[in-house]
Amino acid sequence: MPIRNFSIIAHIDHGKSTLADRLLQATRAVSDRDARAQLLDSMDLERERGITIKASAVTVHHEYEGEDYELNFIDTPGHVDFAYEVSRALTACEGALLVVDSTQGVEAQTVANAYLAVDQNLELIPVINKIDLPSADPDGVAMEIEHVLGLPAEECLYCSAKSGKGIIELLDAICRRLPAPREPITDKTRALIFDSHYDDYRGVIIYFRLFDGSLKVGDKIRMMGTGRTFTITELGRYTPTPAKAKEMGPADVGYMVAAIKTLDDVRVGDTITRDFDPAEEALPGYKEPKQMVFCDFYPATTSADAGRKGEYEALRDAIEKLHLNDASFTYAAQHSEALGFGFRCGFLGLLHMEIVQERLEREGSVDIVQTAPTVGYEIEMTDDAILEIHNPAELPDPSQIKSIREPIVSLEIICPNENIGDLMKLCDGRRGTFKSQRFLSDTRQILDYELPLAEIIYDFYDKLKSITRGYGTMDYEITGFRADRLAKVSILVNGQPVEALSVICHRDNAEVRSRAILRKLKKQIDRHQFEIPLQAAIGGKIIARESIKGVRKNVTAKCYGGDVTRKRKLLEKQKEGKKRMKSVGSVNIPQEAFLAVLEQGD
């Protein structure tokens, strides 16, 4: 039986999931009665937000020229933060459908995903979707695809995933134009793990693509990366309901259950082989993603530390299980004087961070306190050593620092012509460097900028959407690290530095950002019996200050008459007491004060 393995890739909201639904119906994998929108988006979170978060693999059958074809396809996410999911899906395929909205045209992530597929030497079929809409311009979009991506306009397929128009022709084109899987190069079994998740009853469920050899129920397998061995208890394919199989051969895509209870035994990108006749060389895995946004997760509880132990353990278990399903985020144990025990986590972007937090709270049933996102920095030491830090508190002694390097991104913005000026002003205000300007069509242009990642992770995307009234799109790629006039701003409360509140920022913005932090602190910290100075400092230089006035008792209330020296004597005595109290007193900073500063970021 001929096999075709392909992925569906596109910019966010261009109709990938709807197209996947129509492919399932057209191949009769799902009956009209069981069909529903976003069928492959199994998480409630995906349905609520209308986006795909996890890639989903499905096996269907289609008859073309009297021959039955097995089609294994993967519906992938479209947001830039989930590009790692896309790259993993493409590794398991020989071709890809590049879906483009006929009313929106080529957008930032369309270009990025197309380049990902080209890098993997995949055959691309451009598909222009939503041709039934009144504002559709399929011919104009086809010319855009040819102009930007170099794919001939006459090779574009027109369809409507909503109405089903052109779906059968698309299935025929998949069978005709996409290449067959490569021939096995060894008789030893080699299967690539491209995803996995944890089931409370069956243990770890592995999703794999078989490249060489075969697998059957009862085989003893070995993970070539970890060296652990297991016995297969169940094999199958998603059609899209699980369909068990006794044996699977080369080019097959499916799932496996092998009573794997320990989460560390499975790694995405590892190679599965037979234990008694192992392969000599593992399949090339995936390039490890580089996390760019970091924040801390702490259990949200106000109980004492002794009572926090259970909350911390629950959070750790939830993170470990989620990491098995999403290998693109990292975590490490962390302790904060203000918030207790937690985890320092790294993410590919802000949406990725937000999704991970929501999944932890829903799937792990834990309440989380999240700190403000930061980026990683490279520190060049005076002895030329390079130190990587993800937290301002990790910054070494300033006398040992030669320079601080921040991550720089190559930013591509696709926007309407009338918004060019405002977007240039936005980028210039974020320390951006203009690179080029290209025409995409009569109404849209492409802007290329270089910006520090720290300048775009907070609200840049929101401002972009606001300026362009939702028509602007962006894609960014980390190009490296660059030294700049960066400094650590320390926050001092009553003369004592509070590391949990320190930030790294550009010297030109340090004063404005520091004053904003101090104003928030002033609102949150209760007044004490003495005046509390709040200061922001770079090294030994104070750059901003606020004061919390002390609570003062009216000691002269009992002096209703007599000489004024009696009042003065009482005031002087009170003044001496306040001075002594300030030197020995400590300031209690409530947890709410840390959260007020940390959650706001800017």
Side-chain angles (χ1 to χ4, degrees), residues 65-352:
E65 293 185 345
E67 202 167 5
D68 186 25
Y69 281 76
E70 180 183 302
L71 308 181
N72 299 310
F73 71 88
I74 304 177
D75 177 25
T76 65
H79 196 278
V80 60
D81 284 8
F82 302 104
Y84 183 60
E85 288 284 329
V86 179
S87 68
R88 280 164 39 188
L90 293 175
T91 307
C93 302
E94 284 77 38
L97 303 183
L98 182 67
V99 182
V100 184
D101 188 333
S102 62
T103 64
Q104 302 288 333
V106 173
E107 299 200 60
Q109 207 55 30
T110 312
V111 179
N113 284 336
Y115 287 157
L116 274 177
V118 170
D119 288 343
Q120 303 266 14
N121 295 319
L122 266 60
E123 183 72 28
L124 276 175
I125 298 179
V127 179
I128 298 177
N129 192 22
K130 305 185 183 181
I131 59 171
D132 56 330
L133 295 178
S135 57
D137 180 19
D139 294 334
V141 172
M143 292 308 298
E144 273 189 20
I145 291 173
E146 181 171 320
H147 175 63
V148 178
L149 301 175
L151 301 172
E154 58 272 14
E155 291 186 6
C156 295
L157 298 177
Y158 296 178
C159 75
S160 169
K162 187 175 182 181
S163 66
K165 183 179 180 180
I167 297 298
I168 298 299
E169 291 81 359
L170 175 58
L171 285 165
D172 291 344
I174 290 168
C175 300
R176 183 177 66 253
R177 290 167 58 175
L178 292 185
R182 69 158 174 81
E183 292 296 320
I185 57 177
T186 175
D187 56 351
K188 312 279 178 132
T189 297
R190 294 195 302 175
L192 183 69
I193 301 173
F194 67 85
D195 205 356
S196 57
H197 79 271
Y198 188 81
D199 184 277
D200 288 336
Y201 301 100
R202 298 192 291 173
V204 178
I205 298 176
I206 296 171
Y207 301 90
F208 65 92
R209 155 78 192 270
L210 199 57
F211 281 89
D212 305 296
S214 61
L215 287 170
K216 62 179 183 292
V217 176
D219 279 351
K220 191 173 184 182
I221 57 167
R222 180 193 300 175
M223 304 293 177
M224 295 187 73
T226 61
R228 297 299 301 273
T229 59
F230 305 95
T231 301
I232 299 175
T233 57
E234 185 182 328
L235 282 174
R237 302 177 180 87
Y238 281 100
T239 62
T241 54
K244 293 182 181 180
K246 293 289 185 184
E247 187 173 0
M248 300 183 80
D252 279 341
V253 176
Y255 71 90
M256 172 195 302
V257 181
I260 305 171
K261 296 297 183 183
T262 307
L263 302 179
D264 292 337
D265 289 339
V266 177
R267 294 180 191 161
V268 169
D270 201 353
T271 301
I272 301 171
T273 189
R274 291 178 191 259
D275 184 43
F276 67 87
D277 188 20
E280 296 173 0
E281 188 179 348
L283 292 164
Y286 305 107
K287 182 182 176 184
E288 284 294 319
K290 188 168 179 62
Q291 288 72 31
M292 283 298 132
V293 177
F294 299 86
C295 80
D296 296 347
F297 286 159
Y298 296 95
T301 175
T302 55
S303 59
D305 282 346
R308 289 190 179 197
K309 194 66 175 174
E311 298 280 348
Y312 174 77
E313 297 291 346
L315 177 59
R316 186 184 66 186
D317 292 345
I319 287 179
E320 285 179 350
K321 288 180 181 177
L322 184 55
H323 186 260
L324 181 72
N325 190 234
D326 181 0
S328 59
F329 82 93
T330 59
Y331 64 95
Q334 179 88 356
H335 179 263
S336 163
E337 293 180 10
L339 302 171
F341 291 95
F343 293 91
R344 182 77 175 169
C345 300
F347 308 93
L348 302 183
L350 278 188
L351 179 65
H352 187 212

Side-chain angles (χ1 to χ4, degrees), residues 493-494 521-534 547-553 574 577-578 581-590 593:
V493 177
N494 198 28
L521 273 181
K522 185 176 179 180
K523 292 178 182 176
Q524 295 293 332
I525 297 177
D526 294 330
R527 293 173 69 185
H528 287 55
Q529 291 286 329
F530 51 90
E531 182 179 302
I532 303 171
L534 306 175
S547 295
I548 301 175
K549 296 296 183 184
V551 178
R552 184 183 172 201
K553 180 182 177 183
Q574 183 188 43
K578 295 280 187 188
M581 190 185 297
K582 185 174 183 178
S583 65
V584 298
S586 61
V587 180
N588 177 36
I589 306 176

Side-chain angles (χ1 to χ4, degrees), residues 353-380:
M353 179 186 75
E354 195 179 324
I355 293 298
V356 167
Q357 184 196 359
E358 287 202 39
R359 289 187 68 186
L360 284 174
E361 291 183 336
R362 293 186 185 205
E363 298 170 20
S365 301
V366 291
D367 291 326
I368 292 173
V369 170
Q370 174 191 322
T371 64
T374 60
V375 300
Y377 293 89
E378 283 186 354
I379 312 300
E380 185 181 8

Side-chain angles (χ1 to χ4, degrees), residues 347-594:
F347 308 93
L348 302 183
L350 278 188
L351 179 65
H352 187 212
M353 179 186 75
E354 195 179 324
I355 293 298
V356 167
Q357 184 196 359
E358 287 202 39
R359 289 187 68 186
L360 284 174
E361 291 183 336
R362 293 186 185 205
E363 298 170 20
S365 301
V366 291
D367 291 326
I368 292 173
V369 170
Q370 174 191 322
T371 64
T374 60
V375 300
Y377 293 89
E378 283 186 354
I379 312 300
E380 185 181 8
M381 310 296 284
T382 50
D383 60 357
D384 293 332
I386 302 295
L387 180 69
E388 190 172 323
I389 67 163
H390 304 137
N391 192 336
E394 300 170 3
L395 202 68
D397 186 273
S399 63
Q400 300 175 0
I401 297 175
K402 193 174 181 180
S403 65
I404 301 177
R405 300 173 184 169
E406 61 182 342
I408 302 297
V409 300
S410 174
L411 180 70
E412 183 180 81
I413 300 173
I414 297 180
C415 62
N417 291 342
E418 61 266 23
N419 303 126
I420 291 289
D422 292 332
L423 286 175
M424 284 184 164
K425 191 182 296 183
L426 173 65
C427 292
D428 291 341
R430 298 298 179 96
R431 298 190 283 135
T433 304
F434 175 75
K435 288 297 179 185
S436 66
Q437 183 175 351
R438 293 171 283 157
F439 285 89
L440 180 61
S441 66
D442 293 339
T443 58
R444 296 195 300 159
Q445 295 186 37
I446 302 176
L447 283 178
D448 292 311
Y449 264 87
E450 266 192 2
L451 283 99
L453 179 62
E455 296 288 347
I456 68 171
I457 65 168
Y458 288 112
D459 59 352
F460 186 88
Y461 187 67
D462 294 338
K463 289 189 182 299
L464 167 72
K465 285 294 184 183
S466 175
I467 289 171
T468 61
R469 300 187 303 281
Y471 289 106
T473 60
M474 63 175 252
D475 178 56
Y476 63 87
E477 182 183 3
I478 307 299
T479 56
F481 287 77
R482 188 170 65 201
D484 209 332
R485 296 176 57 247
L486 303 172
K488 176 185 175 182
V489 177
S490 300
I491 304 298
L492 288 74
V493 177
N494 198 28
Q496 298 299 315
V498 183
E499 285 295 344
L501 298 176
S502 59
V503 294
I504 294 176
C505 63
H506 197 272
R507 289 180 182 270
D508 293 347
N509 306 330
E511 184 180 342
V512 173
R513 186 157 181 194
S514 301
R515 291 195 184 281
I517 291 174
L518 295 184
R519 280 196 292 270
K520 291 172 192 166
L521 273 181
K522 185 176 179 180
K523 292 178 182 176
Q524 295 293 332
I525 297 177
D526 294 330
R527 293 173 69 185
H528 287 55
Q529 291 286 329
F530 51 90
E531 182 179 302
I532 303 171
L534 306 175
Q535 298 165 306
I538 296 178
K541 182 182 178 183
I542 304 297
I543 61 171
R545 173 180 171 131
E546 293 282 344
S547 295
I548 301 175
K549 296 296 183 184
V551 178
R552 184 183 172 201
K553 180 182 177 183
N554 187 1
V555 293
T556 61
K558 57 187 177 182
C559 299
Y560 52 86
D563 191 61
V564 71
T565 54
R566 290 183 62 201
K567 293 185 178 181
R568 194 171 295 142
K569 183 179 176 182
L570 289 171
L571 290 172
E572 288 296 328
K573 189 176 179 182
Q574 183 188 43
K575 187 177 178 182
E576 287 298 321
K578 295 280 187 188
K579 190 183 294 183
R580 190 164 57 250
M581 190 185 297
K582 185 174 183 178
S583 65
V584 298
S586 61
V587 180
N588 177 36
I589 306 176
Q591 183 173 317
E592 290 76 18
F594 288 92

